[in-house]
């Protein structure tokens, strides 16, 4: 499986698949500049919460490897300013601020080893964040697979697959694991308006990996579930509050309500780094609002609505914990009310 983001260790470059071009072109691009990194994340060339976190960490390193500051203070000042810029690129995916905080802590911790010493420490930290993502997603796949029966028909929304992380992904990891373990699984992918991450990305990566996938428009999910054609729902998350409320791609809430109505299990798959220890409930989650043109123009030859029509375009919605059957993490499967008992999260809050 091709990685989504990685570090070219010889040239100190962030390498990434430009996801805006998929599925028509698989183009590998590079970046070593903080303003380019901001744009790449903002315009969704690198997208999906875990991939954003890893891309930000590697991109920050690639940019600061080129800083010419000779004093530690000068270097750390430039580094913090760069970290602020990349951190402001997207507000909802908490993996971004999580990864940026880790890089800042690492830089401060290496103070005293000289500018070159700090750069070496930052390279090691970026690689650690990259490697941890691969292992974490493998474990989400392991735990999630225990819930998947042979022949399962699984609905997913948006793209929480390999393209949304380094490899494997979160919501698609259990599906890849079940497939590797010889189970027959099929996936129904919501197209995911307005940016079509389901149609362009989820359908692409599943088809490339030999997993049967059927595409449907978002408004078809209810009729599919009502007809008994879906056994379970697996989705990712951009931020999970400590009470288990989960923000994910706009439209996820509707799927959760339908799943509850028809008695279908609805699981959120996410690494612990997506759980925000500083966020009590979904009400505290900042929801990114995006440009109206994504709705009215992006996928059309001409503007497809009257010029005086205003547009509501939030990128995410929040599913309340009572609609979530379980949260599949690298440490096991939890109910929302159990999150505060996870040691790593509890100690971050203390
Ligand atoms: O706007 P996007 O494409 O970055 O939104 C992505 C999602 O909503 C994913 O479901 C989420 O980040 C989880 S990715 C493992």
């Amino acid at each position: 499986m091709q990685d989504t983001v990685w570090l070219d260790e010889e040239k100190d470059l962030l390498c990434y698949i430009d996801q805006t071009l998929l599925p028509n072109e698989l183009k590998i691009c590079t970046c070593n500049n903080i303003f380019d990194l901001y744009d790449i994340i903002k315009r969704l060339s690198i997208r999906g919460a875990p991939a954003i976190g890893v891309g930000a960490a590697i991109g920050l390193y690639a940019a600061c490897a080129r800083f010419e500051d000779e004093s530690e203070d000068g270097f750390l000042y430039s580094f913090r300013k760069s970290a602020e810029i990349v951190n402001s690129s997207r507000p909802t995916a908490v993996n971004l601020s999580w990864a940026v905080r880790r890089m800042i802590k690492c830089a401060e911790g290496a103070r005293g080893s000289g500018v070159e010493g700090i750069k070496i420490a930052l390279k090691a930290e970026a690689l650690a964040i990259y490697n941890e993502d691969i292992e974490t997603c493998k474990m989400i796949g392991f735990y999630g697979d225990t819930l998947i029966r042979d022949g399962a028909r699984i609905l997913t929304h948006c793209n929480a697959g390999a393209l949304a992380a380094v490899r494997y992904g979160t919501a698609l990891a259990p599906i890849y694991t079940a497939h590797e373990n010889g189970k027959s699984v099929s996936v129904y992918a919501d197209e995911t308006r307005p940016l079509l991450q389901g149609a362009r990305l989820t359908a692409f990566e599943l088809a490339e990996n030999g997993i049967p996938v059927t595409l449907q428009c978002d408004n078809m999910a209810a009729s599919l579930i009502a007809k008994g054609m879906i056994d379970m729902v697996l989705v990712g998350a951009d931020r999970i509050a400590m009470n288990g409320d989960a923000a994910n791609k706009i439209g996820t809430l509707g799927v959760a309500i339908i799943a509850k109505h028809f008695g279908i299990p609805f699981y959120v798959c996410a690494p612990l780094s997506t759980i925000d220890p500083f966020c009590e409930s979904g009400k505290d989650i900042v929801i990114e609002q995006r440009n109206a043109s994504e709705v009215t123009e992006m996928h059309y030859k001409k503007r497809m609505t009257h010029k005086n029509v205003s547009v509501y375009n939030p990128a995410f919605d929040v599913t309340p914990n009572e609609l979530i059957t379980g949260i599949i993490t690298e440490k096991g499967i939890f109910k929302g009310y159990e999150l505060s008992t996870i040691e790593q999260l509890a100690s971050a809050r203390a």
Side-chain angles (χ1 to χ4, degrees):
M1 202 178 269
Q2 160 84 60
D3 282 5
T4 304
V5 280
W6 67 96
L7 174 67
D8 178 331
E9 291 189 52
E10 270 179 25
K11 296 183 185 148
D12 286 331
L13 287 173
L14 164 67
C15 303
Y16 63 97
I17 296 174
D18 184 343
Q19 300 193 38
T20 61
L21 304 176
L22 288 171
N24 297 319
E25 192 185 349
L26 182 69
K27 185 172 176 193
I28 309 296
C29 301
T30 60
C31 167
N32 61 15
N33 169 296
I34 211 67
F35 297 104
D36 291 344
L37 180 62
Y38 174 92
D39 275 347
I40 287 163
I41 296 175
K42 180 91 188 162
R43 69 174 137 84
L44 273 52
S45 290
I46 296 176
R47 39 85 28 219
I52 293 171
V54 177
I58 296 178
L60 261 174
Y61 166 68
C64 85
R66 284 154 178 88
F67 290 173
E68 287 175 357
D69 307 81
E70 283 170 11
S71 75
E72 283 194 348
D73 281 344
F75 176 86
L76 287 168
Y77 177 81
S78 309
F79 186 77
R80 273 194 302 271
K81 285 283 158 211
S82 301
E84 270 171 35
I85 291 169
V86 66
N87 200 30
S88 65
S89 55
R90 293 195 75 189
T92 307
V94 76
N95 305 59
L96 173 59
S97 51
W98 170 85
V100 167
R101 266 204 314 278
R102 258 182 79 162
M103 293 295 280
I104 293 173
K105 198 169 165 199
C106 168
E108 297 288 356
R111 201 186 261 279
S113 56
V115 169
E116 280 316 304
I118 302 175
K119 288 182 183 175
I120 290 169
L122 285 168
K123 181 173 192 167
E125 189 68 352
L127 286 171
I129 291 173
Y130 161 88
N131 284 313
E132 284 168 26
D133 181 82
I134 297 171
E135 289 312 309
T136 295
C137 290
K138 263 194 208 162
M139 290 312 293
I140 292 172
F142 169 81
Y143 286 114
D145 174 45
T146 63
L147 302 168
I148 298 180
R149 68 161 179 80
D150 191 25
R153 298 155 304 171
I154 301 166
L155 187 140
T156 191
H157 189 80
C158 193
N159 173 265
L163 289 163
V166 174
R167 234 178 266 171
Y168 311 115
T170 59
L172 299 193
I175 296 169
Y176 287 127
T177 308
H179 180 70
E180 276 163 24
N181 289 342
K183 292 180 197 169
S184 148
V185 279
S186 55
V187 178
Y188 285 83
D190 279 353
E191 68 171 352
T192 318
R193 280 277 289 154
L195 294 177
L196 306 181
Q197 289 92 334
R200 294 188 305 104
L201 309 176
T202 298
F204 169 80
E205 64 166 271
L206 289 172
E208 286 284 306
N209 286 290
I211 296 176
V213 55
T214 304
L215 178 66
Q216 81 264 347
C217 303
D218 299 338
N219 52 1
M220 296 167 189
S223 95
L224 201 67
I225 293 176
K227 285 184 179 139
M229 289 169 66
I230 297 295
D231 300 301
M232 68 194 301
V233 178
L234 295 177
V235 295
D238 281 80
R239 190 184 296 236
I240 301 175
M242 286 303 284
N243 70 343
D245 294 350
N248 192 46
K249 181 51 56 192
I250 190 77
T252 304
L253 172 60
V255 178
I257 293 168
I258 298 162
K260 183 82 170 180
H261 182 81
F262 289 102
I264 306 292
F266 178 97
Y267 288 97
V268 171
C269 308
L272 292 185
S273 54
T274 301
I275 301 168
D276 184 350
F278 307 108
C279 192
E280 291 298 333
S281 83
K283 290 196 184 74
D284 305 323
I285 300 177
V286 177
I287 299 293
E288 176 183 4
Q289 301 292 327
R290 293 190 62 91
N291 201 295
S293 65
E294 291 179 349
V295 175
T296 56
E297 272 144 72
M298 198 160 195
H299 297 289
Y300 302 91
K301 280 194 178 145
K302 284 185 182 166
R303 184 181 166 95
M304 55 62 152
T305 190
H306 190 282
K307 64 179 175 18
N308 293 343
V309 172
S310 57
V311 171
Y312 175 60
N313 185 20
F316 304 99
D317 56 27
V318 177
T319 299
N321 69 84
E322 61 269 21
L323 299 182
I324 299 173
T325 312
I327 301 170
I328 306 174
T329 75
E330 70 273 30
K331 298 278 184 212
I333 303 168
F334 299 96
K335 298 293 282 182
Y337 62 81
E338 291 175 307
L339 297 183
S340 53
T341 65
I342 300 174
E343 204 182 318
Q344 191 174 324
L345 299 172
S347 59
R349 283 161 66 84

